Amino acid sequence: MIRESLIFEISDPGKPAFALPALDVPEAEGLLDGLAVRSDIPGFPQVSEVEVVRHFTRLSQQNYCVDLGLYPLGSCTMKHNPKVNEKVAGLAGFAQAHPCAPPETVQGCLEVIKSLEDALCEITGLQAFTVQPSAGAQGELVGMMLIHAFLKSRGNPRKIVLIPDSAHGTNPSSAHLCGYKVQEVKSDPTGRIDPDELEKAVTEDVAALMVTNPNTLGVFESDIADIARIVHAKGGLLYMDGANMNALTGIVRPGDMGVDVLHINLHKTFSTPHGGGGPGSGPVGIVKALEPFLPTPVVVRRGEALDLDFERPRSIGRVRAFFGNFLVAVKALAYIRTLGPWGVREIAEISVLNANYIRKSLEGIYDLKYDAPSMHECVFSDKLQKEATGVTNLDIAKRLIDHGYHPPTMSFPLIVQGALMIEPTETESKRDLDGFIEAMKAIDREARESPEILKAAPHHSYVRRLDETAAARNPVVRWEKPKNP
Ligand SMILES: *Cc1c(COP(=O)(O)O)cnc(C)c1O
């Protein structure tokens, strides 16, 4: 309904030349009670659209992102992810589906979950998956709970979980949270599990070995078949942390290595950019024997249709509201389907090639504690620079910012002093890799010629070196207008 027609008022210069039709807003009065109606004007900043756009554009330019350049964070796989997958996840049928909708009205969404579970079974060689866990760490906990439930059902609950000393910190935490006693397994001089040492550690009280393959040193556990045999011989299970699946997809399958339980990180390997606390997903795959214990509900096929199965008396129960981070699953399926089996294999091949290219190019300039061929990442240390000049991995990382690169993962894995863990991922061209390698070489020269430059780096960023301890202890999380601008 138009309440006021378009009237031209040419004769009166004090009035506007025309009036616009009023909007047809239903009467709001009476719909809200007195408490909800505010009496004051909210204190929004009075800024124009241009000012707002410029403010946020300026902020975004102060940030470093994968869309700007190489982001070599090892163990985190910050790779560029196809933008088309974001589009697919944004389709109304996915993005606006209500999590409480009856199954018959969201068959497409259930099909995505089921198809992704099936694809992950193919890729990993395991028999069933749940996509409920919303991160790798939660996947680990769910995996441990499944192992616990399985062993308990056989009247054989055990107390110990073995974990190599190179493992990600979440591994011991998850095992501990599940009530297990964690026992460390030392890596051998090549950075791998020594089967002889393992044999001594595996007893009838070991519920599982949690192995990361390739491990966090970027080294493939080539004795994995023996490792599986040793653990199984004593009635234990083999858990694999699959955060590094990027190196394996389409080439080898954990299920074929003897792995019983596995988590993967969709936000590392299958097309969701991660970092900044964004949504993740840590699906857990299992062998057939553990299927009755899967979290509920399980997406099942009943005739032509898909349904949610809650009637699973041996289930460990629900571990996450609704279906986990569903849109991350949509992106993962879009990624796997667009690449196909050969594309998925090529991803692994190039990620391994790129990591080895960096390792070979920087070998001798930066120290390599474990000189084994790399998988998808390589771990250097600051040993050579530190001994010669006093420069540390922190200084090197900060100086990389001046050279236009995001620093690599630092000080992890813990068994490498002064670690610089570099994962280029498959998305980088040779030109970009060469640029990064040149920067690392230049930093080594700078360390020898004028170490003070590195000690005070970064010099060209929006903020200089921060007091990270103070920032963690007294975080200022709210922007405040300066008192005397
Ligand atoms: C990232 C990572 C994890 C934990 O995964 P989140 O999704 O961050 O919880 C576990 N293990 C390894 C080796 C990882 O790289």
Side-chain angles (χ1 to χ4, degrees):
M1 185 183 71
I2 295 172
R3 289 192 191 143
E4 240 176 301
S5 58
L6 207 63
I7 312 162
F8 286 91
E9 307 224 5
I10 303 163
S11 56
D12 186 347
K15 284 189 177 174
F18 61 89
L20 285 176
L23 292 179
D24 185 13
V25 182
E27 288 292 318
E29 269 161 49
L31 290 178
L32 298 171
D33 62 25
L35 276 177
V37 181
R38 62 184 312 150
S39 54
D40 58 337
I41 307 282
F44 293 129
Q46 296 303 304
V47 284
S48 70
E49 180 182 304
V50 172
E51 285 173 298
V52 172
V53 170
R54 285 182 185 161
H55 171 71
F56 285 107
T57 304
R58 218 174 279 130
L59 280 184
S60 75
Q61 286 172 345
Q62 291 175 13
N63 203 1
Y64 190 89
C65 57
V66 265
D67 288 338
L68 199 64
L70 192 140
Y71 212 116
L73 275 184
S75 203
C76 289
T77 324
M78 281 299 287
K79 57 184 182 180
H80 165 77
N81 296 288
K83 296 279 181 276
V84 66
N85 296 340
E86 301 292 334
K87 266 204 153 149
V88 174
L91 293 174
F94 296 136
Q96 287 170 27
H98 196 283
C100 294
E104 59 274 19
T105 66
V106 283
Q107 286 290 301
C109 295
L110 297 183
E111 188 66 52
V112 166
I113 294 174
K114 189 87 190 88
S115 303
L116 178 63
E117 287 173 2
D118 292 348
L120 294 178
C121 285
E122 277 295 318
I123 291 172
T124 61
L126 288 161
Q127 273 89 52
F129 258 89
T130 171
V131 297
Q132 267 189 44
S134 45
Q138 201 194 1
E140 292 167 24
L141 177 61
V142 169
M144 285 292 116
M145 288 165 75
L146 291 169
I147 289 173
H148 183 77
F150 170 75
L151 291 173
K152 198 164 158 234
S153 77
R154 301 185 133 202
N156 189 13
R158 298 174 168 210
K159 292 201 192 69
I160 297 169
V161 168
L162 299 177
I163 302 180
D165 55 5
S166 61
H168 194 266
T170 49
N171 289 188
S173 308
S174 304
H176 178 76
L177 207 59
C178 197
Y180 285 113
K181 187 170 167 291
V182 173
Q183 197 177 309
E184 199 173 87
V185 182
K186 284 227 173 316
S187 303
D188 76 3
T190 67
R192 280 173 287 212
I193 295 174
D194 180 344
D196 293 336
E197 285 302 309
L198 182 67
E199 191 117 42
K200 287 182 213 150
V202 179
T203 63
E204 304 275 331
D205 210 13
V206 167
L209 167 73
M210 275 182 113
V211 61
T212 306
N213 202 14
N215 65 30
T216 60
L217 295 163
V219 178
F220 187 72
E221 295 285 356
S222 43
D223 291 319
I224 190 71
D226 272 344
I227 289 169
R229 190 184 43 74
I230 292 166
V231 175
H232 289 154
K234 289 278 164 67
L237 277 79
L238 185 59
Y239 182 98
M240 182 174 132
D241 176 331
N244 296 337
M245 269 302 287
N246 218 44
L248 306 183
T249 52
I251 299 177
V252 286
R253 309 195 306 168
D256 301 336
M257 300 176 197
V259 168
D260 303 297
V261 185
L262 158 93
H263 88 262
I264 53 176
N265 302 53
L266 296 186
H267 51 288
K268 290 181 182 173
T269 312
F270 294 105
S271 183
T272 283
H274 104 284
S281 178
V284 174
I286 48 162
V287 290
K288 196 90 193 151
L290 274 73
E291 209 173 352
F293 309 99
L294 278 178
T296 49
V298 175
V299 178
V300 290
R301 220 171 268 288
R302 294 199 214 281
E304 291 284 281
L306 289 163
D307 199 5
L308 295 174
D309 185 6
F310 289 89
E311 300 305 314
R312 302 175 78 93
R314 296 160 84 191
S315 162
I316 59 167
R318 196 191 263 287
V319 295
R320 169 68 160 76
F322 306 115
F323 308 100
N325 280 323
F326 171 65
L327 296 179
V328 177
V330 174
K331 284 187 259 184
L333 184 64
Y335 186 72
I336 293 167
R337 282 282 167 86
T338 44
L339 285 165
W342 289 103
V344 164
R345 185 186 169 103
E346 209 180 337
I347 294 269
E349 287 172 346
I350 299 176
S351 75
V352 171
L353 181 66
N354 282 357
N356 280 288
Y357 183 64
I358 287 187
R359 189 174 63 84
K360 272 283 159 198
S361 306
L362 293 177
E363 186 177 67
I365 298 170
Y366 288 90
D367 174 62
L368 278 169
K369 183 171 172 193
Y370 298 98
D371 192 14
S374 291
M375 293 297 283
H376 62 305
E377 62 195 0
C378 52
V379 183
F380 292 99
S381 88
D382 62 8
K383 188 162 171 251
L384 303 178
Q385 288 72 21
K386 199 170 172 186
E387 282 172 4
T389 72
V391 157
T392 65
N393 60 340
L394 181 70
D395 305 324
I396 295 166
K398 295 293 182 195
R399 186 60 176 157
L400 260 176
I401 299 173
D402 287 334
H403 283 268
Y405 294 96
H406 193 283
T409 296
M410 275 173 37
S411 311
F412 177 76
L414 299 177
I415 55 173
V416 179
Q417 268 263 319
L420 289 162
M421 180 192 222
I422 298 169
E423 178 171 5
T425 82
E426 72 283 0
T427 50
E428 301 307 319
S429 66
K430 179 163 180 298
R431 202 178 81 179
D432 286 334
L433 296 178
D434 285 338
F436 176 76
I437 289 162
E438 277 316 309
M440 288 294 284
K441 286 182 177 169
I443 290 171
D444 171 61
R445 284 195 298 275
E446 288 173 342
R448 286 158 207 285
E449 286 157 16
S450 30
E452 66 286 352
I453 295 183
L454 271 69
K455 286 276 164 209
H459 300 272
H460 309 311
S461 51
Y462 284 90
V463 288
R464 298 292 297 272
R465 194 175 296 202
L466 301 172
D467 182 344
E468 284 162 18
T469 314
R473 294 209 174 136
N474 305 304
V476 180
V477 291
R478 187 175 180 282
W479 179 80
E480 272 174 32
K481 207 171 189 166
K483 297 238 160 49
N484 300 306

